[in-house]
């Protein structure tokens, strides 16, 4: 079994399967997983298995989502502070030690915890995303404040990533340029029928400016 904690994307290969792929905007932050550790306690984790502190508002929200699911789950996404990678890095490396909470978690995958522990889930991506939207939407808003909080939590601190259908290679390039033009990092293309695997694979492909520019340049030549 792979020692990776999550599925990882390869660079875009320049080949689009018949029928296209799902496209998600690539959030420029840190990969963030939610699951219960060997002590049974739910935590936020980096892709390298390091606990992430300073985001108790998000952790609390994810516990409510797990309750709505009715079973222990793993949630996969990207966490970002103040809209930038630099701010995210600064907060989770040292900023949180001064106290407080920060960040928004953008979720893009989910599965039952036993499936994640076994290495992944056979359920296709389209079905996993629909299940994720269902359990996030099923959370009952608490009427009281979270202990040690400064007020009622913003439910928007946890969001499900939207996606769009990318039909072909030209569409992938067009959408990538659109995201770059507004300051984004790029897009991630995902095979809608693919299972989740805790390894790097071509079912997910990242279209970042550095690798796409080389690819487009090679094709133009």
């Amino acid at each position: 079994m792979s020692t990776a904690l999550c599925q990882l994307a390869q660079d875009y290969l320049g080949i689009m399967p018949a029928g296209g792929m799902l496209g998600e905007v690539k959030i420029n932050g840190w990969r963030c997983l939610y699951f219960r550790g060997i002590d049974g306690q739910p935590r936020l984790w980096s892709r390298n298995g390091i606990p992430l502190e300073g985001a108790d508002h998000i952790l609390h929200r994810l516990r409510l989502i797990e309750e709505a699911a009715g079973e222990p789950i793993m949630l996969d996404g990207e966490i970002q502070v103040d809209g930038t990678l630099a701010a995210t890095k600064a907060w989770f490396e040292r900023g949180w030690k001064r106290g407080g909470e920060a960040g928004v978690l953008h979720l893009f995958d989910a599965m039952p915890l036993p499936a994640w522990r076994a290495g992944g889930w056979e359920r296709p991506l389209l079905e996993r995303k629909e299940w994720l939207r269902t359990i996030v939407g099923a959370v009952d808003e608490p009427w009281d404040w979270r202990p040690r909080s400064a007020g009622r939590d913003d439910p928007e601190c946890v969001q499900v990533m939207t996606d769009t259908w990318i039909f072909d290679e030209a569409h992938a390039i067009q959408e990538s340029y659109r995201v770059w033009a507004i300051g984004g990092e790029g897009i991630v293309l995902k095979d809608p029928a693919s299972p989740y695997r805790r390894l790097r694979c071509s079912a997910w492909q990242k279209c970042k400016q550095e690798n796409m520019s080389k690819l487009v340049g090679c094709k133009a030549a």
Side-chain angles (χ1 to χ4, degrees):
M1 182 189 302
S2 170
T3 57
L5 293 182
C6 55
Q7 183 159 318
L8 301 169
Q10 293 183 354
D11 287 342
Y12 177 55
L13 302 175
I15 301 172
M16 186 72 63
M21 302 178 80
L22 286 184
E24 296 173 344
V25 173
K26 191 176 188 307
I27 301 296
N28 199 7
W30 275 15
R31 192 69 172 268
C32 179
L33 309 174
Y34 168 89
F35 59 86
R36 294 176 179 271
I38 58 175
D39 60 358
Q41 295 301 309
R43 293 185 179 87
L44 300 179
W45 308 84
S46 74
R47 56 179 275 188
N48 297 317
I50 299 172
L52 299 179
E53 307 289 349
D56 285 350
H57 61 310
I58 292 174
L59 182 60
H60 178 71
R61 190 78 185 172
L62 298 182
R63 286 173 175 163
L64 296 178
I65 294 170
E66 187 174 53
E67 289 178 9
E71 60 180 318
I73 58 176
M74 187 282 292
L75 296 166
D76 192 354
E78 193 88 0
I79 197 166
Q80 190 181 58
V81 175
D82 294 337
T84 70
L85 175 60
T88 304
K89 184 175 185 292
W91 177 258
F92 287 109
E93 286 185 347
R94 58 186 180 277
W96 67 271
K97 297 178 182 178
R98 298 191 296 269
E101 302 165 343
V104 174
L105 179 60
H106 303 268
L107 292 173
F108 47 70
D109 222 317
M111 69 196 65
L113 187 59
W116 174 81
R117 285 178 171 160
W121 203 18
E122 295 299 323
R123 197 167 180 178
L125 172 61
L126 274 179
E127 295 182 12
R128 298 197 309 271
K129 283 287 293 273
E130 184 59 33
W131 183 61
L132 174 59
R133 294 187 187 100
T134 298
I135 60 177
V136 170
V139 171
D140 291 327
E141 296 302 327
W143 61 269
D144 57 347
W145 290 3
R146 172 171 50 89
R148 298 185 299 280
S149 67
R152 191 177 301 278
D153 288 331
D154 181 2
E156 294 302 309
C157 68
V158 175
Q159 303 175 16
V160 178
M161 288 289 299
T162 59
D163 51 60
T164 187
W165 204 266
I166 305 297
F167 296 99
D168 52 30
E169 182 182 340
H171 191 191
I173 294 172
Q174 178 185 21
E175 185 66 11
S176 296
Y177 273 94
R178 183 191 69 80
V179 173
W180 298 336
I182 59 176
E185 189 181 9
I187 64 173
V188 179
L189 300 173
K190 297 183 176 182
D191 180 350
S194 64
Y196 188 102
R197 294 285 183 265
R198 287 170 53 183
L199 46 77
R200 191 178 297 278
C201 63
S202 61
W204 293 6
Q205 298 179 33
K206 52 189 175 182
C207 302
K208 298 174 67 174
Q209 198 157 8
E210 53 265 34
N211 67 295
M212 287 288 282
S213 296
K214 293 177 183 177
L215 185 63
V216 173
C218 289
K219 288 184 178 293

